Every structure is written in structure tokens, then in C-alpha cells.
């Protein structure tokens, strides 16, 4: 078996090759849960990977929440004093008054290694006499409904906080039924975080609901932004190339139209040559072809000139001249 086969076997096989799978623990809001350790005697260290970091108000994928030494210890400051060592289970922790933001994976670390982690999921329940139910109408519509528990007679008004701020009027969140129902768009980043429902009659207590796109999601990572940048660069270069090609084609079409225009539109043409008569570099200049038009001679004008008749007298006879006459 090659090295890749061992790697695949290590990823698929449970037990010592990968560590034990987490133990699933379900709890309702307002209840309590026991977190066993199983990593040996103290000193021990507990770490927590929150499922809803934004809702819990923490940063980082893993957070240290407790250090346990031999002997009893004071309540831990983390989780608002709701977390304390269990008196009868060495190394175990007891988390009281559960909230939805407590969801996550708890792991106990000792000198011999890590114990089996606990995956905590906090769902509905009744907390401060309030409860919130959720209903996914579609992938882009989520409805939150807050009500008193146990139900009370008569109308009641409710107020919502998002990340410790009043919800107010939002385009992506519509309130109805005196504020008891909120219909929102869960794809908006502004909608992610900690939702709190308060009863106006007793505003001190609230029910907490955490909203996130996916467990542990924090938005696009560096690789996603890198691919987005590459895609934008490809689109820009493609658009520039297409624009240059269209400009070149338009110029070529314009030149073709200019060549097809009549000579009177383009001006007096130069001498035209056939393919066999085109001048070549270094040849003597070719005389321009003579016009084949026949020259028409100028028109001749004729006229008749009449002179007045004049009396014709015989010439005078000279002395000694002989006159001959012939009578017919």
C-alpha cells in the first residue's frame, strides 16, 4: 500500500489514528449541561470552539475557557459566571442557564492528551418566560416568532435587538403582530449575529436566537477573494481585447466603404493601372495614358459677297491698231 493509501486510511478510520469523534449533547435554552473530561487528573485545560462566534461575541476558532488544578476552585469568569467545576466529577464542568450562543465543541486537555470532546447544541426552550421559533419559508426568507411561555391571554407587544442594538425599520426585515413576528432575509450579512426578543411589559429578560449562514462561516476567505480578483482581471482584459477588435473592424469597414464611393465623391483619381501595368520600385515613370476622345475640327463659316455691277467700257484704241471682227 502506497503512502496515499495510508493517508486516506488515517482520514477515514476512527480511534487512535484520528481521535475519538465528539459526543453530541442537546440542551434547551435555560437548562444546564454536564461536560465530562476524561483526560486524567488535574492539572487540566478546557478549550471551546464556538459554533456562532459573532453571536457569542468572541474571535478565534478556539478559545481557552478554564484551567483546573487539584482542589476546589472558584466559578470561572467565562460565560458570565454560569460555568463552574462539577463537585462530584473530577475535571468536569457544569454549564448552567444555557443560551444558544453556548453551542460549540468543548475539549478537555490533560498531560496524557485530549479527552473525548463534547459537541453542544442549544435549541428552543423557555428562557425568561419567552421562546422564539423559526420557520424557513424559502432559502431567502426566514420568519422568527416570539411569544410568552406559558401563553398569556390578551395582546402583547415585543421589541427586537440585533447585536445589542434596536432593530428599527429595515428593508430586509418586516415586523408584524405587535413586533412578535419578524420576516427577514437571512442572506444579508447585516442580519447575522445575536437576535434578542424582549417583552415590553418586562424588558429585563430576553430570549436569544443566533443567526449565521453556516456553522463557523465568516464570509469569503483569501482564496475566494483571489479567485474573484482573477475573474475580474480576465473580464477586464477580455473586454479590452473585444473593444480593440471591434474598433479595428469598424476602421476596416470604413476604408472599404471609401473605396466603393464614386470618383466624383472622392475627387479626381490618379492614373489607373492594370495588374500588369502597376509600377514597381525602381522602374521609370510610366506616361499617363492618352485620352481616346476624337478631336472635332473647328467649324468653317462660308458667306457670299456681291459687288455692284459696273459699266464695262472697251479700252481705248491706240493709234495704228487694227481691229478684227468676226461676224457670225
Amino acid at each position: 500500500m502506497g503512502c496515499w493509501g495510508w493517508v486516506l486510511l488515517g482520514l477515514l478510520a476512527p480511534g487512535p489514528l484520528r481521535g475519538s469523534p465528539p459526543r453530541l449533547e442537546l440542551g434547551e435554552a435555560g437548562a444546564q449541561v454536564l461536560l465530562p473530561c476524561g483526560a486524567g487528573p488535574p492539572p487540566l485545560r478546557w478549550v471551546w470552539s464556538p459554533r456562532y462566534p459573532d453571536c457569542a461575541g468572541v474571535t478565534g476558532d478556539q478559545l481557552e475557557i478554564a484551567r483546573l488544578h487539584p482542589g476546589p476552585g472558584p466559578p470561572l469568569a467565562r460565560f458570565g459566571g454560569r460555568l463552574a467545576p462539577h463537585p462530584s466529577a473530577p475535571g468536569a464542568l457544569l454549564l448552567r442557564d444555557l443560551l444558544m450562543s453556548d453551542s460549540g465543541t468543548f475539549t478537555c486537555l490533560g498531560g496524557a492528551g485530549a479527552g473525548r470532546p463534547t459537541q453542544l447544541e442549544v435549541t428552543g426552550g423557555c428562557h425568561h418566560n419567552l421562546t422564539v421559533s423559526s420557520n424557513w419559508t424559502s432559502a431567502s426568507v426566514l420568519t422568527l416568532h416570539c411569544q410568552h411561555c406559558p401563553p398569556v391571554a390578551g395582546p402583547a407587544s415585543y421589541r427586537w435587538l440585533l447585536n445589542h442594538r434596536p432593530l428599527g425599520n429595515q428593508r430586509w426585515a418586516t415586523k408584524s403582530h405587535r413586533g412578535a413576528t419578524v420576516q427577514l432575509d437571512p442572506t444579508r450579512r447585516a442580519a447575522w449575529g445575536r437576535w434578542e426578543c424582549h417583552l415590553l411589559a418586562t424588558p429585563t429578560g430576553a430570549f436569544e436566537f443566533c443567526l449565521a449562514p453556516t456553522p463557523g462561516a465568516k464570509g469569503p476567505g483569501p482564496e475566494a477573494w483571489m479567485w474573484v480578483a482573477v475573474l475580474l482581471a480576465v473580464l477586464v482584459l477580455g473586454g479590452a481585447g473585444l473593444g480593440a477588435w471591434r474598433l479595428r473592424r469598424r476602421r476596416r469597414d470604413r476604408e472599404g466603404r471609401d473605396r466603393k464611393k464614386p470618383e466624383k465623391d472622392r475627387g479626381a483619381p490618379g492614373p489607373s493601372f492594370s495588374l500588369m501595368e502597376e509600377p514597381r520600385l525602381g522602374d521609370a515613370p510610366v506616361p499617363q495614358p492618352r485620352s481616346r476622345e476624337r478631336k472635332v475640327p473647328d467649324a468653317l463659316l462660308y458667306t457670299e459677297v456681291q459687288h455692284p455691277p459696273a459699266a464695262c467700257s472697251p479700252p481705248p484704241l491706240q493709234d495704228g491698231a487694227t481691229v478684227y471682227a468676226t461676224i457670225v
Side-chain angles (χ1 to χ4, degrees):
M1 182 183 296
C3 62
W4 290 109
W6 287 108
V7 171
L8 181 61
L9 185 61
L11 292 175
L12 297 178
L17 286 177
R18 264 195 87 198
S20 301
R23 180 175 60 92
L24 182 60
E25 185 74 32
L26 299 178
E28 292 185 352
Q32 63 181 17
V33 64
L34 177 65
L35 304 173
C37 177
L44 300 171
R45 188 167 63 96
W46 278 89
V47 294
W48 172 51
S49 298
R51 179 175 179 179
Y52 306 104
D54 295 337
C55 185
V58 298
T59 57
D61 297 333
Q62 196 174 72
L63 184 67
E64 182 177 303
I65 58 174
R67 284 182 179 267
L68 302 181
H69 299 279
L76 304 175
R78 184 63 61 180
F79 297 97
R82 297 181 290 113
L83 183 66
H86 196 275
S88 59
L93 296 178
L94 183 64
L95 182 58
R96 300 183 301 271
D97 201 11
L98 291 178
L99 300 174
M100 193 174 181
S101 58
D102 298 337
S103 302
T105 303
F106 296 81
T107 306
C108 180
L109 305 175
R116 185 180 181 182
T118 300
Q119 182 178 346
L120 175 63
E121 294 287 346
V122 181
T123 57
C126 184
H127 193 218
H128 298 297
N129 294 328
L130 291 172
T131 183
V132 172
S133 60
S134 60
N135 180 28
W136 290 86
T137 307
S138 65
S140 60
V141 177
L142 175 66
T143 301
L144 301 181
H145 182 70
C146 182
Q147 61 182 0
H148 194 275
C149 56
V152 295
S157 300
Y158 300 87
R159 183 169 62 98
W160 289 89
L161 299 181
L162 176 57
N163 296 324
H164 308 287
R165 295 181 179 179
L167 178 61
N169 296 321
Q170 305 292 339
R171 294 182 178 179
W172 45 267
T174 304
K175 294 179 290 185
S176 60
H177 301 91
R178 297 178 178 268
T181 303
V182 176
Q183 193 174 46
L184 58 97
D185 183 1
T187 62
R188 295 291 190 101
R189 181 177 291 272
W192 302 347
R194 180 179 179 179
W195 289 75
E196 299 176 59
C197 174
H198 293 258
L199 184 64
L200 290 182
T202 56
T204 55
F207 189 94
E208 177 188 275
F209 183 87
C210 296
L211 180 61
T214 54
K218 292 182 178 295
E223 295 183 358
W225 289 118
M226 181 184 67
W227 284 111
V228 171
V230 171
L231 180 60
L232 290 177
V234 171
L235 292 177
V236 170
L237 293 178
L242 181 61
W245 176 79
R246 293 186 63 180
L247 182 62
R248 187 182 305 172
R249 184 176 178 181
R250 187 178 301 174
R251 185 179 302 170
R252 189 179 302 172
D253 294 343
R254 188 186 300 115
E255 293 177 355
R257 289 194 300 268
D258 291 343
R259 286 195 296 267
K260 293 180 181 179
K261 285 183 178 180
E263 293 183 356
K264 62 180 181 179
D265 295 339
R266 298 199 310 263
S272 58
F273 303 94
S274 64
L275 295 177
M276 302 299 296
E277 296 176 349
E278 289 186 356
R280 293 175 297 178
L281 185 62
D283 294 346
V286 181
Q288 297 183 359
R290 297 181 178 179
S291 175
R292 296 183 180 180
E293 297 179 357
R294 299 179 61 184
K295 293 184 178 180
V296 180
D298 298 336
L300 299 179
L301 300 179
Y302 298 90
T303 184
E304 294 182 357
V305 179
Q306 295 183 358
H307 295 277
C312 183
S313 58
L317 297 178
Q318 298 180 1
D319 295 337
T322 303
V323 178
Y324 295 91
T326 301
I327 302 172
V328 179

